Amino acid sequence: MNTYGERFRVTTYGESHGPAVGAVIDGCPAGVRLDMDLIARQLERRRFGAPRQEADEVEWLSGLMDGITLGTPIAFAIRNKDVRSEDYAHLEHLFRPGHADYTYYAKFGVRDHRGGGRSSARETVVRVVAGAIASQLMPEVGISTRAVGSQNPADDDTCGGMVDCTITGLPAGIGDPVFAKLNASLAAAMMSIPSAIGFEMGAGFAAAQMKGSEYIDRWKVDDGGCRTATNHCGGVQGGISNGMPVEFRVAFHPVVSIPQPVECLGEDGSLSTVGIGGRHDRYHIERAAVVVEAMAALCLINYMI
Amino acid sequence: MNTYGERFRVTTYGESHGPAVGAVIDGCPAGVRLDMDLIARQLERRRFGAPRQEADEVEWLSGLMDGITLGTPIAFAIRNKDVRSEDYAHLEHLFRPGHADYTYYAKFGVRDHRGGGRSSARETVVRVVAGAIASQLMPEVGISTRAVGSQNPADDDTCGGMVDCTITGLPAGIGDPVFAKLNASLAAAMMSIPSAIGFEMGAGFAAAQMKGSEYIDRWKVDDGGCRTATNHCGGVQGGISNGMPVEFRVAFHPVVSIPQPVECLGEDGSLSTVGIGGRHDRYHIERAAVVVEAMAALCLINYMI
Amino acid sequence: MNTYGERFRVTTYGESHGPAVGAVIDGCPAGVRLDMDLIARQLERRRFGAPRQEADEVEWLSGLMDGITLGTPIAFAIRNKDVRSEDYAHLEHLFRPGHADYTYYAKFGVRDHRGGGRSSARETVVRVVAGAIASQLMPEVGISTRAVGSQNPADDDTCGGMVDCTITGLPAGIGDPVFAKLNASLAAAMMSIPSAIGFEMGAGFAAAQMKGSEYIDRWKVDDGGCRTATNHCGGVQGGISNGMPVEFRVAFHPVVSIPQPVECLGEDGSLSTVGIGGRHDRYHIERAAVVVEAMAALCLINYMI
Amino acid sequence: MNTYGERFRVTTYGESHGPAVGAVIDGCPAGVRLDMDLIARQLERRRFGAPRQEADEVEWLSGLMDGITLGTPIAFAIRNKDVRSEDYAHLEHLFRPGHADYTYYAKFGVRDHRGGGRSSARETVVRVVAGAIASQLMPEVGISTRAVGSQNPADDDTCGGMVDCTITGLPAGIGDPVFAKLNASLAAAMMSIPSAIGFEMGAGFAAAQMKGSEYIDRWKVDDGGCRTATNHCGGVQGGISNGMPVEFRVAFHPVVSIPQPVECLGEDGSLSTVGIGGRHDRYHIERAAVVVEAMAALCLINYMI
């Protein structure tokens, strides 16, 4: 299931070392002039500091005439150009620790060993394009992120970190009861990002240690309308926004492609120590933040159109 | 969207103070004798210590003949019997702090003020029935929970806590790439439970502070097959199970119906202090754990049939 | 898949001789006072002349407060009361010709032999309730039907017929390109009705013999706005309504439960001649027309909300 | 909604005069070597005699390694090369009679006037590729078509016709009760093809005039297993296949782009007579038959994987 969303449906495709990555966006309203600069800026932010240098040029295949959406599917492709598949030749029959090599093989019985294939963070470039289009459809909504809690990676190691996201301008009443709660959908959207390992709304895990009387967000009525004095719930109650900023945090584990040699598992069950090569980040949180913004936009737009 | 799942589809219904809560389960295989004792036991665990005493008797409306599934939709209803709607009469035009009263009103323009309506934890009784059916279809999979980190509630207050869940017996290869990652689906399932406010897989938020060389789960090959020495990833890599136990934690904020009087917001914008009455838990983690198990079963079954 | 619709989602349940038939309707807007008289009238029309006499009393289980929709799932049950399962005891191991006995058995390996189970036209009572609710949400749209082409059934036989349906008041622009064309969705909706065996829009099969110059609906501009002089296309072009009446015809094969004894196939492969008993229509087109109206409403509402 | 299918999901894109048409196929099993010759043959059959000459070269963007499916989305693009958009310049503000120009405009408020845009039969090339892949996954199933009932088009006119389709090798038990009946899904699939205007299973509209005793398909047990002496139902009972050949007929209205000048409607409400130009079939039934086969394959595969 490579489709995200029920109304603004983004179906993505592409392996990291195949011809291209891209998507078909179905459900985008007609008559919208796409802000290509916004898309380019987000792609630039995502690309910043990446060891693999891709131009990330978006080739538009359908759904636009003179840059304006037709209401039909918007298809695009981004070519994989800076591909060095030979870097991975020695890994054809090996499963790297910490990667998805083994699990893809267990599921599919076949895999693209060149880079991470479909599990590579390369696929997030597509999310960034789609998210930028979605955010353009909600000009009143502001989505901002901040990298927190990261360490400096040592020379021979990698590190993780966290991203705080704040969504402003969302009116009260956005979300759904029971299964499609806004917080549940945000959780799924964020946990689908490569390396994501934790998610919390508002006070999050700290709320588990609070007393009810501490936790409850008290009403505070003033000229600004109905608000609450605190925002422990993160702006969502019963799965529906309450008009306060929506606030959540995503934890990312460290980059699993570490510079040191590691022991890999062979398809034959043997272990062998190899340097896994390829070109990888050692610190990815600033770049992950851009993907957090994209997924937040894709999540929200499905409630709003 | 009150349906959970694409293959084992559970569509739930019911307000806490309406005639009944229940569900239609579509996609259950034919020819299965439902284990009514298992369902009753899980309902009993969920009910334990609840202030509102419901018999939670399940009335089966369709899909069964002589207790055996027909492959057609299984519909059931659980009557709301111990309903004291008069307890809520004074809240008809008030929004309690910390509840979903205001957000439902913002979304729907109308709400059932008697208890939480659709936002009440009463709806989770339906999840427990459906989850018990799902778990019966995966006899090789074990789902267990443990309440952690709770405090004793003071007399006049409530508390939250956390639930650790471990899933054993899941083979490698269960899950999906990109958007429908197993961890992403588990996150959505858990965050859809009333009061859930945080979710983490394996090492979770702590992983954000690790170095890559610490975080990576090293291969450990022995008679037990392919395993890893640690399980920081929580048994899922690239969205797909790796054969290790699937481990995650869910944080729940405290019960928001506190015994102390609280300031409520009126529909007219005024504030007034009232005791909100009704009958509510002060500690709900043991009961939430049963719902965590149910949602874990509902999440998994959709990848396995 | 017992759910109809993506936006106004009707999930039905129930066997003809089980406890009840019913549905959960998800996606109905909040704040609507249901017109219970309209529902009762359509049920009365559907019931008219049916050999099995059911009161068809609708028990509302959720989603309503004081008769007004809450925006939450509307669940209802209609009890099967006039059930004479003993009429079917002799058919427990037999497959009637023309029925779905054999195909259900082939698919599920188990079946409810009492009446048609899930394949019985009994399930259409649920469609009529849901359709009446849907039609109430589109007061500007008129859906009318007319039975055509039926013969009088002989005493010892049954007959089929056709239903013409006309939808007025539908604005231009309703429908979708490519797969979810309005005509394609109408076709699926109609062909899902028990006994339906053919569907055509506008000029239908006769159009296959026309020349293009005869077939094309010419523009006719007058005070009434943009219209066409003929309506061979049935009001839909490229899958989208053009503002003309939407016109289609549904063919129904004869009732397959004929009064004469028939040869049944045994589970052991033997053939035996039996009177199949039960209580069945011999002419069902007037009743089918009510279901055509219901399905037309359910089809349209999904494009309109 | 430009996606077809729940399990083998084909999301198509592309306007007739945009850069490309194509699709993303999600849900194709891993490890399958695609039969590129089969795809090419079906494309050749579809292209035969078409006035617009496209090479229809399929560019594979993802999901394959060395021609073998990876289990990940298969994306492809087919460039629109033989595009003469200037042929349509005079139609920018005109709605042709019989076309979808007006309805697209009514729905989207904007349209690609160059050719039919998304409503053009050009999009069916994508269905043919996807259908050929689907049919390859069901080698035991045979899908064949026959053009019937067509006239020879006069020099200055166009004609329609019908396609008979027979599916052999389908076991009993394929289909679903109630809404997702196999015949209902086939109806939707066929009626979604450009120019389709009627659909019937087995005896079809003629069955509406039969008596029940004539219509019922009697059992005929012999060495070949359970069969029926006639196949009036078209191989489907209660929405589920009975093991007999599945037989249906699709009626197509004549090509609406006729060689004669026609009166077009202007956006300003005026009428003007123009030759609509472009390059169009005058007889399209042989080519439609290839699309019928493709859609039959796409319909079936969703029940079979």
Side-chain angles (χ1 to χ4, degrees):
Chain A
M1 194 55 158
N2 292 273
T3 298
Y4 184 85
E6 301 264 327
R7 302 203 162 197
F8 188 89
R9 290 176 295 279
V10 181
T11 302
T12 73
Y13 65 86
E15 283 72 46
S16 62
H17 288 64
V21 295
V24 179
I25 301 174
D26 196 4
C28 185
V32 177
R33 177 175 296 282
L34 288 197
D35 183 343
M36 299 300 184
D37 287 342
L38 174 63
I39 295 170
R41 276 199 307 276
Q42 291 298 86
L43 286 174
E44 174 63 29
R45 284 180 60 205
R46 178 193 166 281
R47 194 166 50 239
F48 184 74
R52 173 170 160 179
Q53 281 304 317
E54 289 282 3
D56 291 344
E57 196 180 334
V58 183
E59 180 186 1
W60 302 96
L61 297 174
S62 71
L64 298 175
M65 191 169 59
D66 305 331
I68 298 191
T69 60
L70 289 165
T72 54
I74 301 171
F76 64 88
I78 300 171
R79 302 281 160 176
N80 294 320
K81 290 181 174 165
D82 185 19
V83 171
R84 301 190 198 155
S85 300
E86 65 279 10
D87 286 2
Y88 295 89
H90 64 304
L91 294 171
E92 184 168 353
H93 301 289
L94 293 181
F95 306 121
R96 294 167 294 174
H99 286 73
D101 299 347
Y102 177 73
T103 59
Y104 268 59
Y105 189 73
K107 180 178 177 71
F108 295 117
V110 61
R111 71 186 165 101
D112 187 342
H113 65 278
R114 304 162 303 176
R118 187 78 177 134
S119 75
S120 165
R122 175 75 183 141
E123 61 93 348
T124 62
V125 69
V126 177
R127 306 191 191 209
V128 169
V129 173
I133 294 174
S135 68
Q136 191 191 333
L137 303 173
M138 308 175 287
E140 72 286 9
V141 175
I143 302 172
S144 63
T145 52
R146 198 164 56 95
V148 290
S150 297
Q151 304 160 290
N152 288 325
D155 274 0
D156 60 347
D157 218 328
T158 62
C159 69
M162 296 182 289
V163 173
D164 278 5
C165 183
T166 302
I167 301 168
T168 56
L170 199 67
I174 303 299
D176 248 329
V178 189
F179 298 121
K181 288 185 165 87
L182 177 54
N183 40 332
S185 298
L186 283 169
M190 298 306 145
M191 292 297 291
S192 80
I193 301 174
S195 301
I197 196 160
F199 174 85
E200 59 182 10
M201 294 290 301
F205 277 84
Q209 308 300 329
M210 291 179 178
K211 285 189 270 186
S213 58
E214 291 172 288
Y215 171 75
I216 293 172
D217 297 309
R218 317 268 161 175
W219 294 113
K220 181 178 132 191
V221 180
D222 60 19
D223 297 350
C226 297
R227 293 190 301 191
T228 56
T230 51
N231 192 16
H232 294 140
C233 73
V236 179
Q237 285 166 320
I240 300 169
S241 67
N242 68 2
M244 291 288 288
V246 171
E247 297 180 323
F248 60 87
R249 171 172 289 186
V250 189
F252 292 90
H253 64 63
V255 176
V256 292
S257 295
I258 62 175
Q260 311 163 28
V262 290
E263 221 173 21
C264 291
L265 177 68
E267 288 178 14
D268 60 0
S270 65
L271 293 177
S272 54
T273 301
V274 296
I276 57 177
R279 291 157 294 160
H280 305 281
D281 283 322
R282 284 191 292 124
Y283 167 67
H284 56 159
I285 303 304
E286 297 285 359
R287 301 174 64 205
V290 185
V291 186
V292 165
E293 292 174 22
M295 291 309 298
L298 291 176
C299 179
L300 288 174
I301 194 68
N302 276 284
Y303 290 100
M304 298 184 75
I305 59 171
Chain B
M1 195 56 158
N2 292 272
T3 297
Y4 185 84
E6 299 266 326
R7 302 202 161 196
F8 189 89
R9 291 174 294 279
V10 181
T11 302
T12 74
Y13 65 85
E15 283 71 47
S16 62
H17 289 65
V21 294
V24 179
I25 300 173
D26 196 4
C28 185
V32 177
R33 178 174 297 283
L34 288 197
D35 183 343
M36 298 299 183
D37 288 342
L38 174 64
I39 296 170
R41 277 198 307 277
Q42 292 296 84
L43 286 175
E44 174 63 30
R45 283 179 61 205
R46 179 194 166 278
R47 194 164 52 237
F48 183 74
R52 173 169 159 180
Q53 282 303 317
E54 289 282 1
D56 289 344
E57 195 180 336
V58 183
E59 181 185 3
W60 302 97
L61 296 173
S62 72
L64 298 175
M65 190 169 58
D66 306 330
I68 297 191
T69 60
L70 289 165
T72 54
I74 301 171
F76 65 88
I78 300 171
R79 302 282 161 175
N80 294 320
K81 290 180 173 164
D82 185 20
V83 171
R84 301 189 197 156
S85 299
E86 65 279 11
D87 287 2
Y88 296 89
H90 64 303
L91 294 172
E92 184 168 353
H93 301 290
L94 293 181
F95 305 121
R96 295 167 293 176
H99 286 73
D101 299 348
Y102 176 73
T103 60
Y104 268 60
Y105 188 74
K107 180 179 177 69
F108 295 117
V110 59
R111 71 188 166 102
D112 187 343
H113 66 278
R114 306 161 303 176
R118 187 79 179 131
S119 76
S120 165
R122 175 72 184 144
E123 59 92 349
T124 62
V125 70
V126 177
R127 306 191 192 209
V128 169
V129 173
I133 294 174
S135 67
Q136 191 190 335
L137 302 174
M138 308 175 286
E140 72 286 8
V141 175
I143 301 172
S144 63
T145 52
R146 198 165 56 94
V148 290
S150 297
Q151 305 161 289
N152 288 326
D155 273 1
D156 59 347
D157 218 326
T158 62
C159 70
M162 296 182 288
V163 173
D164 277 6
C165 183
T166 302
I167 301 168
T168 56
L170 199 68
I174 304 299
D176 249 328
V178 189
F179 298 121
K181 288 185 165 87
L182 177 54
N183 40 333
S185 298
L186 283 169
M190 298 306 146
M191 291 297 291
S192 80
I193 301 175
S195 300
I197 195 160
F199 173 86
E200 59 182 10
M201 293 292 301
F205 277 84
Q209 307 302 328
M210 291 179 177
K211 284 189 271 187
S213 58
E214 292 172 288
Y215 170 76
I216 293 173
D217 297 308
R218 316 268 161 172
W219 294 112
K220 183 178 131 193
V221 180
D222 59 18
D223 297 350
C226 296
R227 295 190 302 194
T228 55
T230 51
N231 192 16
H232 294 140
C233 72
V236 179
Q237 285 167 320
I240 301 170
S241 66
N242 67 1
M244 290 289 288
V246 171
E247 296 180 323
F248 60 86
R249 171 172 287 185
V250 190
F252 292 91
H253 64 62
V255 175
V256 291
S257 295
I258 62 175
Q260 310 162 27
V262 291
E263 220 173 22
C264 290
L265 176 68
E267 288 178 13
D268 59 0
S270 66
L271 294 175
S272 54
T273 301
V274 296
I276 59 177
R279 290 157 295 160
H280 304 281
D281 283 321
R282 284 191 291 125
Y283 167 67
H284 56 158
I285 303 304
E286 298 283 1
R287 300 175 64 205
V290 184
V291 186
V292 166
E293 293 174 22
M295 291 309 299
L298 291 176
C299 179
L300 288 174
I301 194 68
N302 276 285
Y303 289 99
M304 298 185 75
I305 60 171
Chain C
M1 194 55 158
N2 293 273
T3 297
Y4 185 86
E6 300 265 327
R7 302 203 161 197
F8 188 90
R9 290 175 295 279
V10 181
T11 303
T12 74
Y13 65 85
E15 283 72 46
S16 62
H17 288 64
V21 295
V24 179
I25 300 173
D26 196 4
C28 185
V32 177
R33 177 173 297 282
L34 289 196
D35 183 342
M36 298 300 183
D37 288 341
L38 174 63
I39 296 170
R41 277 198 307 277
Q42 291 297 85
L43 287 174
E44 174 63 29
R45 284 179 61 205
R46 178 194 166 279
R47 193 165 53 239
F48 184 74
R52 174 170 159 178
Q53 282 303 317
E54 290 282 2
D56 290 345
E57 195 181 334
V58 183
E59 180 186 2
W60 302 97
L61 296 173
S62 72
L64 298 175
M65 190 169 60
D66 305 330
I68 297 189
T69 60
L70 289 165
T72 55
I74 300 171
F76 65 88
I78 301 171
R79 302 282 161 177
N80 294 320
K81 290 180 173 164
D82 185 19
V83 171
R84 302 188 197 157
S85 299
E86 65 279 10
D87 287 1
Y88 295 89
H90 65 303
L91 294 172
E92 185 169 353
H93 301 289
L94 293 181
F95 305 121
R96 294 167 293 175
H99 285 73
D101 299 348
Y102 177 74
T103 58
Y104 268 59
Y105 189 73
K107 180 179 177 70
F108 295 118
V110 59
R111 70 188 166 102
D112 187 343
H113 65 276
R114 304 162 302 176
R118 187 77 177 134
S119 76
S120 165
R122 175 73 182 143
E123 60 92 350
T124 62
V125 70
V126 177
R127 306 190 192 208
V128 169
V129 173
I133 294 174
S135 67
Q136 191 190 336
L137 302 174
M138 309 174 286
E140 73 286 7
V141 175
I143 301 172
S144 63
T145 53
R146 198 164 57 94
V148 291
S150 298
Q151 305 160 292
N152 288 327
D155 273 0
D156 60 347
D157 218 326
T158 61
C159 70
M162 296 181 290
V163 173
D164 277 6
C165 183
T166 303
I167 301 169
T168 55
L170 199 67
I174 304 299
D176 249 328
V178 190
F179 299 121
K181 288 186 166 87
L182 177 56
N183 40 332
S185 298
L186 283 169
M190 297 307 146
M191 291 297 290
S192 80
I193 301 175
S195 300
I197 195 159
F199 173 86
E200 59 182 11
M201 293 292 300
F205 278 84
Q209 307 301 330
M210 291 179 177
K211 285 189 270 186
S213 58
E214 291 172 288
Y215 171 76
I216 293 173
D217 298 309
R218 317 268 161 174
W219 293 113
K220 183 178 132 191
V221 179
D222 60 18
D223 297 349
C226 296
R227 293 190 302 192
T228 56
T230 51
N231 192 16
H232 293 141
C233 72
V236 179
Q237 285 166 320
I240 300 170
S241 66
N242 68 1
M244 290 289 287
V246 171
E247 297 181 322
F248 59 87
R249 170 172 289 187
V250 190
F252 291 90
H253 64 62
V255 175
V256 291
S257 295
I258 61 175
Q260 311 163 27
V262 290
E263 221 173 20
C264 290
L265 176 68
E267 288 179 14
D268 59 1
S270 66
L271 294 175
S272 55
T273 301
V274 297
I276 58 177
R279 290 158 295 160
H280 304 282
D281 283 322
R282 285 191 290 125
Y283 167 68
H284 55 160
I285 303 304
E286 297 284 1
R287 300 175 64 206
V290 185
V291 186
V292 166
E293 293 175 22
M295 291 309 298
L298 291 177
C299 179
L300 288 174
I301 194 69
N302 276 285
Y303 289 99
M304 298 184 73
I305 60 172
Chain D
M1 194 55 157
N2 293 273
T3 298
Y4 185 85
E6 300 264 326
R7 302 202 161 197
F8 189 89
R9 289 176 296 280
V10 180
T11 302
T12 73
Y13 64 85
E15 284 71 49
S16 62
H17 288 64
V21 294
V24 179
I25 301 174
D26 196 4
C28 185
V32 178
R33 177 175 296 282
L34 287 196
D35 183 343
M36 298 299 184
D37 287 342
L38 174 63
I39 296 170
R41 277 198 307 277
Q42 291 297 86
L43 287 174
E44 174 63 31
R45 284 179 60 205
R46 178 194 167 280
R47 193 167 50 239
F48 184 75
R52 173 169 159 179
Q53 282 305 316
E54 289 283 2
D56 290 345
E57 195 180 336
V58 183
E59 180 185 3
W60 302 97
L61 296 173
S62 71
L64 298 175
M65 190 170 58
D66 305 330
I68 298 191
T69 60
L70 289 165
T72 54
I74 300 170
F76 64 89
I78 301 172
R79 302 282 159 175
N80 294 320
K81 290 180 174 164
D82 185 20
V83 170
R84 302 191 196 153
S85 300
E86 64 280 11
D87 285 3
Y88 295 91
H90 63 303
L91 294 171
E92 183 169 354
H93 302 288
L94 293 181
F95 306 120
R96 294 167 294 175
H99 286 73
D101 299 348
Y102 177 73
T103 60
Y104 268 58
Y105 189 73
K107 180 179 177 69
F108 295 117
V110 60
R111 71 188 165 101
D112 186 342
H113 65 277
R114 305 162 303 175
R118 187 79 179 131
S119 75
S120 164
R122 175 75 184 141
E123 61 92 349
T124 63
V125 69
V126 178
R127 306 190 192 210
V128 169
V129 173
I133 295 175
S135 68
Q136 192 190 336
L137 303 173
M138 309 175 287
E140 71 286 7
V141 175
I143 301 172
S144 62
T145 53
R146 199 164 57 95
V148 290
S150 296
Q151 305 160 289
N152 289 325
D155 272 0
D156 60 347
D157 218 327
T158 62
C159 70
M162 296 182 289
V163 173
D164 277 6
C165 183
T166 302
I167 301 168
T168 55
L170 199 68
I174 303 300
D176 248 329
V178 190
F179 299 121
K181 288 185 165 88
L182 177 54
N183 39 332
S185 298
L186 284 169
M190 297 307 146
M191 291 298 290
S192 80
I193 301 174
S195 299
I197 195 159
F199 174 86
E200 59 183 9
M201 294 291 301
F205 277 83
Q209 307 301 330
M210 291 179 177
K211 285 190 269 188
S213 59
E214 291 172 288
Y215 171 75
I216 293 173
D217 297 309
R218 317 267 161 174
W219 294 112
K220 182 178 131 191
V221 179
D222 60 19
D223 297 349
C226 297
R227 294 190 301 192
T228 55
T230 52
N231 191 17
H232 294 140
C233 73
V236 179
Q237 285 167 320
I240 300 169
S241 66
N242 67 2
M244 291 289 288
V246 171
E247 298 180 323
F248 60 86
R249 171 172 288 186
V250 189
F252 292 90
H253 64 63
V255 176
V256 292
S257 295
I258 62 175
Q260 310 163 29
V262 290
E263 220 172 23
C264 291
L265 177 67
E267 288 178 14
D268 59 1
S270 66
L271 293 175
S272 53
T273 301
V274 296
I276 58 177
R279 290 156 296 160
H280 305 282
D281 283 322
R282 283 192 290 125
Y283 166 66
H284 56 158
I285 303 304
E286 298 285 359
R287 301 175 64 205
V290 185
V291 185
V292 166
E293 293 174 23
M295 290 310 298
L298 291 176
C299 179
L300 288 174
I301 194 68
N302 276 284
Y303 290 99
M304 298 184 75
I305 60 170

